[in-house]
Amino acid sequence: MLVVIGHTWPMGLVEGSRTVKAAYLWIASFHMPAFILLSGYLSRGFTGRPDQVRRLLAGVLVPYLVFEVLYSAVEATVWHKPYRLTLTEPTFVCWFLAALFVWRLTAPVWRVVPWPVPVAALISLAAGTSTPGHDLALPRVLMFLPWFVLGLTLEPAHLARLRANGWARWCAPAVLTAGAAAAYALAPGTDVHWLWMSYGQADLGVATTPYLLVRLALFAVTALMTAAFLVLVPRRTLWLTALGAVTLYPYLLHGLLATAAHAYGWDAPLRPLGPLGAALLTALGAAAAVLLSTAPVRWLARPLVEPPLPGVTRPRAKTRPRARPRTRTRPESGSADPGAAGAAGGLATGAVSGPGGLGAGAVQGPSGLGTAGEARDQGEPSEPSEPRTA
């Protein structure tokens, strides 16, 4: 919802009001890092198994390709420019799907990297001081990387301790309030592009040392804001809870509406109103996020968001040869191995259970954002339920 709200505010409105710009900075300081951290947390079980790769292709790569075509068509229509499809250069919100595809493929690598979060932070800083190309949203892939890796390293016990900590629950509102006050104080002289993570040192026009110091400060501020936000997330089931399983729909669909609204000036009457206009756009953005999550919208958009791909979305059925009956031979006296049956049983049990852990593809599905299909997949075991012979 915060992502949708941020996209409803035109930059003219953001730069035209100190209060609106402060609110924009406040949201941008943690909403994407938190989103990416949770996507990493839900990718902890990704090991590259065939079923996980199939889900990754169907739930991330294919929607990326479909919506790249749609966004390119909408932009060409509303801005009256030639149609140009560049699948390697993500359009608007599609960058996140490209980044998530790359991040999740690297998940097994980070399990063997010592000190993964500091290493990812160094990669992020190095990317900001270099000039990587924009193919597959590479600057954002690299500069947002520490938050995904941090999510990979978290365990349920970590979040449980954070959310159960009494001091944290008392301090969280103060941290978010202090962040809002700091955003208001710094708004006049702050470039919002610092928080987009798509612009490096050269684009921002700063020297290396100030750039690194600001980025390190942003790491600390974002960590505090994200932790405070997670602490205050309600623990009980609310009417919004079910929408959390289908967030891929509003995420991909709202950008089409926002692009048309900004191009045709539907939000123009609200821009002169400053904070009041931002408040009205916020209400519209929140309503759009809820509306795009409803069952009728999902039913209409499912062929785009969850396109059926035979052999990919569901594994092809395999015909197994019929087992031939085996004749048992009674062992000779004194030759029976007392541990043979136990060893065979243990091997068969291992084949059925497979590796433990919560698989991201099994629990949350391929995207980490949630789709209607993934909502049905909650609680699915990480290994096939049908036993396999040892």
Side-chain angles (χ1 to χ4, degrees):
M1 189 171 289
L2 291 176
V3 172
V4 175
I5 290 171
H7 288 156
T8 61
W9 297 351
M11 292 311 299
L13 176 61
V14 171
E15 296 293 348
S17 168
R18 180 175 181 175
T19 302
V20 178
K21 187 175 182 179
Y24 185 90
L25 292 173
W26 183 80
I27 291 176
S29 67
F30 71 91
H31 79 311
M32 282 312 301
F35 203 26
I36 294 166
L37 181 145
L38 292 175
S39 296
Y41 179 77
L42 295 169
S43 301
R44 292 172 300 123
F46 186 87
T47 58
R49 296 196 318 262
D51 62 312
Q52 294 176 331
V53 174
R54 279 194 294 266
R55 291 179 181 226
L56 183 62
L57 293 174
V60 178
L61 182 60
V62 173
Y64 167 75
L65 298 175
V66 170
F67 277 87
E68 267 298 302
V69 173
L70 286 178
Y71 273 96
S72 299
V74 169
E75 288 197 350
T77 301
V78 299
W79 293 112
H80 306 289
K81 60 182 183 181
Y83 179 82
R84 179 172 174 262
L85 179 62
T86 54
L87 295 178
T88 59
E89 296 181 12
T91 306
F92 201 11
V93 300
C94 294
W95 76 265
F96 183 77
L97 292 184
L100 183 60
F101 184 79
V102 175
W103 287 330
R104 187 159 287 181
L105 285 177
T106 67
V109 176
W110 294 106
R111 293 189 181 89
V112 299
V113 173
W115 305 99
V117 177
V119 170
L122 290 175
I123 293 175
S124 176
L125 295 174
T129 56
S130 60
T131 55
H134 288 273
D135 289 344
L136 296 180
L138 189 57
R140 283 175 164 169
V141 169
L142 297 177
M143 285 195 269
F144 275 128
L145 178 63
W147 304 110
F148 183 82
V149 176
L150 177 60
L152 285 176
T153 62
L154 291 178
E155 297 292 339
H158 296 145
L159 293 180
R161 283 198 298 267
L162 174 67
R163 290 166 56 76
N165 188 294
W167 283 103
R169 296 189 68 83
W170 278 103
C171 294
V175 169
L176 294 176
T177 302
Y184 186 84
L186 299 173
T190 301
D191 188 348
V192 298
H193 296 99
W194 278 94
L195 301 174
W196 289 7
M197 297 301 161
S198 56
Y199 296 91
Q201 169 194 341
D203 301 311
L204 296 169
V206 295
T208 302
T209 300
Y211 175 80
L212 294 176
L213 291 176
V214 171
R215 286 292 310 280
L216 290 173
L218 285 176
F219 279 148
V221 170
T222 299
L224 285 173
M225 297 283 285
T226 301
F229 173 77
L230 293 176
V231 166
L232 294 180
V233 170
R235 303 182 184 186
R236 64 188 185 280
T237 300
L238 303 175
W239 66 274
L240 284 172
T241 304
L243 303 184
V246 293
T247 48
L248 188 58
Y249 283 84
Y251 180 83
L252 289 175
L253 296 174
H254 86 274
L256 301 173
L257 300 178
T259 300
H262 295 328
Y264 292 128
W266 296 341
D267 53 2
L270 300 178
R271 296 181 188 180
L273 301 180
L276 177 59
L280 294 174
L281 287 173
T282 297
L284 290 174
V290 174
L291 177 64
L292 295 175
S293 303
T294 57
V297 174
R298 298 201 310 270
W299 181 80
L300 291 172
R302 183 167 293 131
L304 301 175
V305 180
E306 300 180 82
L309 301 175
V312 177
T313 51
R314 293 182 183 275
R316 293 186 178 92
K318 294 182 179 180
T319 57
R320 298 184 178 181
R322 182 176 300 177
R324 291 178 299 177
R326 293 178 295 179
T327 59
R328 295 184 178 182
T329 58
R330 181 174 298 177
E332 296 179 4
S333 176
S335 63
D337 182 359
L347 182 59
T349 302
V352 173
S353 61
L358 296 175
V363 176
Q364 178 64 14
S367 64
L369 293 171
T371 61
E374 294 167 27
R376 296 190 296 270
D377 290 340
Q378 297 295 325
E380 181 180 332
S382 59
E383 285 292 312
S385 57
E386 183 179 356
R388 295 175 296 178
T389 56

